[in-house]
Amino acid sequence: MENQAKEKSVWLPNQLSAVKLFLDQVEFSINESYEQLDGKTLYEYTIIHNDNSGILKILPELKNSPILEEYNRMLPLDKTEFLYQSAYKKTGGVLNLFHGEINESMDSELKELFRKNEDKNKAIKIWKDTKSELWSSLSPKLVWAGGGKLEKELLLQFCGKLTDMMQGKKFHTQGSAIIKSMEYLRAWQLAYDEICSDNPMNAIIKEREEIYNRKIKFLKEMNIECDF
């Protein structure tokens, strides 16, 4: 499977991970700050103006492009963004590049919390801070927050390294290719990386925590209630 990242062909084990590579980059770009938006992130600009005009301010070439629809789908254009269920619509970033679609029915942790707590809000408050196996030990609030510039750089680096490692290798089944890719991802995320001067997992969590804190602060300033 091939896709484009930094104009370089990369190897990925299946079509789903190729799609997720693209969607990850869209999601990360929404959390970046832009001079064209007066230093605001695309996420913040969208909420302030309640439209998608920020996209074409930073990426005018996307006009009439199908990619614009993906941005529209990910931007906070309605109140569902602020409900706990929106976490299941996020990509989960590079740590979840090879994971399939996740939905609430798969979340046994949340089901158990709802069972134990009559107060649904209390259950969600515990759930959002709890590391989840569904998202490679990211907590739901960090999945909801999304990654940023650093995670994008790490994602592209990982894809490049995976491509180099898989060069010339043949797999008899797609499943074996995915397993090998997952094994490489898990080793990569815990190894020291010069890009972040840490291991990627720690760096990704740190950046997502910063993005989360900025989003929550902004939403409070905008008087927007949020489950996260």
Side-chain angles (χ1 to χ4, degrees):
M1 187 62 59
E2 292 187 344
N3 202 336
Q4 294 296 315
K6 284 191 173 179
E7 299 182 353
K8 177 185 175 183
S9 293
V10 300
W11 182 95
L12 289 167
N14 60 0
Q15 182 62 33
L16 175 62
S17 53
V19 170
K20 290 192 78 172
L21 170 60
F22 164 69
L23 295 179
D24 280 348
Q25 293 177 77
V26 172
E27 190 174 279
F28 300 159
S29 69
I30 290 171
N31 288 330
E32 288 188 45
S33 300
Y34 298 93
E35 287 184 15
Q36 302 96 314
L37 306 181
D38 299 321
K40 293 180 175 58
T41 65
L42 184 52
Y43 187 89
E44 293 162 352
Y45 190 90
T46 299
I47 290 174
I48 290 168
H49 294 271
N50 196 30
D51 62 28
N52 67 354
S53 60
I55 304 171
L56 297 182
K57 279 182 175 288
I58 59 172
L59 295 167
E61 66 273 18
L62 292 187
K63 189 175 182 180
N64 301 321
S65 165
I67 296 174
L68 187 61
E69 288 307 309
E70 293 301 333
Y71 272 92
N72 287 335
R73 193 174 63 80
M74 290 193 180
L75 286 172
L77 290 166
D78 60 56
K79 292 181 179 179
T80 59
E81 164 68 16
F82 314 118
L83 302 177
Y84 77 88
Q85 293 96 331
S86 65
Y88 303 107
K89 297 178 182 178
K90 308 299 182 181
T91 68
V94 62
L95 300 179
N96 296 280
L97 185 61
F98 306 120
H99 285 201
E101 188 175 329
I102 293 170
N103 56 59
E104 187 175 351
S105 66
M106 300 163 64
D107 199 334
S108 57
E109 182 77 29
L110 184 60
K111 286 179 184 176
E112 184 65 12
L113 285 168
F114 280 157
R115 188 184 68 79
K116 289 181 177 178
N117 294 276
E118 289 185 12
D119 185 343
K120 187 176 180 181
N121 290 330
K122 182 181 178 182
I124 292 170
K125 189 174 181 180
I126 297 169
W127 167 81
K128 72 181 178 68
D129 287 311
T130 304
K131 292 179 181 180
S132 174
E133 291 183 5
L134 287 177
W135 290 294
S136 305
S137 293
L138 288 177
S139 63
K141 76 177 186 183
L142 296 186
V143 173
W144 170 78
K149 194 172 183 179
L150 177 60
E151 189 169 342
K152 179 181 177 181
E153 196 173 348
L154 288 167
L155 168 69
L156 297 179
Q157 181 212 56
F158 169 75
C159 289
K161 287 188 171 188
L162 180 69
T163 298
D164 291 342
M165 192 195 78
M166 295 298 188
Q167 206 71 43
K169 285 188 170 61
K170 293 184 178 180
F171 297 94
H172 295 295
T173 65
Q174 191 176 86
S176 61
I178 293 170
I179 290 169
K180 193 69 177 176
S181 300
M182 185 74 80
E183 288 173 349
Y184 186 71
L185 173 61
R186 294 301 174 236
W188 169 84
Q189 73 186 44
L190 296 176
Y192 180 84
D193 195 302
E194 290 183 357
I195 287 178
C196 55
S197 301
D198 198 345
N199 69 58
M201 186 162 191
N202 284 343
I204 286 165
I205 289 171
K206 183 179 179 182
E207 182 181 49
R208 283 176 176 258
E209 285 174 342
E210 291 170 355
I211 290 169
Y212 172 80
N213 290 335
R214 176 169 174 162
K215 281 188 175 181
I216 292 299
K217 182 175 181 288
F218 171 76
L219 293 177
K220 285 180 179 177
E221 289 170 353
M222 296 293 292
N223 294 315
I224 295 173
E225 291 187 7
C226 178
D227 284 345
F228 295 95

